[in-house]
Amino acid sequence: NKSQLIILDRGFDPISPFLHELTFQAMAYDLLSAASGKIDAVKNTYTFDSNREGSLDDNTRKEIILDASNEVWNELRHDHISTVLHRLNEKTAALMTKYANLRGNKDTPTNVHDMKSMINKMPKYKREEANLNSFVKLAEDCMTAYNSGTVETAVKLEQDMSTGFDSNGRPIGERFM
């Protein structure tokens, strides 16, 4: 509840600071920190309930750190949310292909060395899969908050006002005449 004073010079774009930013990081911090408390902006963490089908513990609380140490977050945080969803799908498909033999979709190990190698890769696969699933959940939460009605409407209105045209290319002044 603190006031903020923004001082801009004439060469600065005065409209952009008042528009919602639709990058992954901005949406996560804007939409999920205040309302739902899922993002802790001080600790840079995202907390969520992990509901895994077939799991003994149906509702497990998970937390991921959102900083440069997390490779996926570092790679996706400045991307537009629509790009993030697409890239997460690509990363998940690549991971599934990479570790398909661990799920029994490819050749089964024929000797002890291959079996040992496969077992050694499993923890890394599980960590990568859990990390990707966490970011899929974060992106889903962002889109749920965005599609709740008020944010989507505000973004459309902001875009119309900042460009002077609506999404159909008509000047916004014509709508009110």
Side-chain angles (χ1 to χ4, degrees):
N1 293 336
K2 293 182 180 179
S3 298
Q4 294 182 353
L5 173 64
I6 300 174
I7 301 173
L8 307 171
D9 68 16
R10 292 182 184 196
F12 192 84
D13 177 11
I15 295 174
S16 295
F18 300 104
L19 300 176
H20 279 88
E21 190 175 341
L22 299 179
T23 62
F24 194 30
Q25 182 176 11
M27 285 186 71
Y29 280 84
D30 288 349
L31 301 178
L32 302 179
S33 60
S36 66
K38 292 182 179 186
I39 297 278
D40 184 334
V42 176
K43 294 184 346 186
N44 288 324
T45 57
Y46 167 60
T47 307
F48 62 101
D49 294 325
S50 173
N51 299 327
R52 299 173 71 190
E53 293 179 24
S55 174
L56 295 175
D57 51 334
D58 290 334
N59 200 0
T60 307
R61 203 103 172 117
K62 303 270 185 182
E63 183 177 275
I64 56 171
I65 298 173
L66 304 175
D67 66 6
S69 67
N70 190 311
E71 186 179 315
V72 176
W73 176 250
N74 210 25
E75 186 179 328
L76 299 177
R77 67 184 176 172
H78 296 300
D79 288 352
H80 190 275
I81 190 67
S82 63
T83 306
V84 168
L85 296 170
H86 178 71
R87 290 186 63 198
L88 281 171
N89 284 338
E90 287 177 346
K91 285 180 148 313
T92 303
L95 182 67
M96 297 303 242
T97 301
K98 182 178 175 183
Y99 292 103
N101 61 342
L102 294 178
R103 294 188 180 249
N105 295 338
K106 283 194 173 182
D107 302 330
T108 20
T110 55
N111 60 43
V112 175
H113 182 269
D114 290 343
M115 191 176 297
K116 182 180 176 187
S117 175
M118 182 180 78
I119 290 170
N120 288 338
K121 290 178 185 176
M122 287 184 89
K124 182 180 180 200
Y125 168 73
K126 290 294 183 191
R127 280 192 304 273
E128 288 179 41
E129 181 183 39
N131 195 34
L132 276 176
N133 286 338
S134 300
F135 284 103
V136 168
K137 177 73 173 134
L138 176 57
E140 287 173 352
D141 284 350
C142 287
M143 289 310 298
T144 299
Y146 176 80
N147 291 326
S148 68
T150 55
V151 177
E152 184 177 16
T153 303
V155 167
K156 287 179 181 176
L157 180 62
E158 290 168 356
Q159 292 299 313
D160 291 353
M161 291 172 54
S162 67
T163 63
F165 295 92
D166 65 10
S167 59
N168 297 322
R170 293 181 298 162
I172 59 170
E174 290 180 9
R175 261 192 280 177
F176 303 108
M177 292 181 178

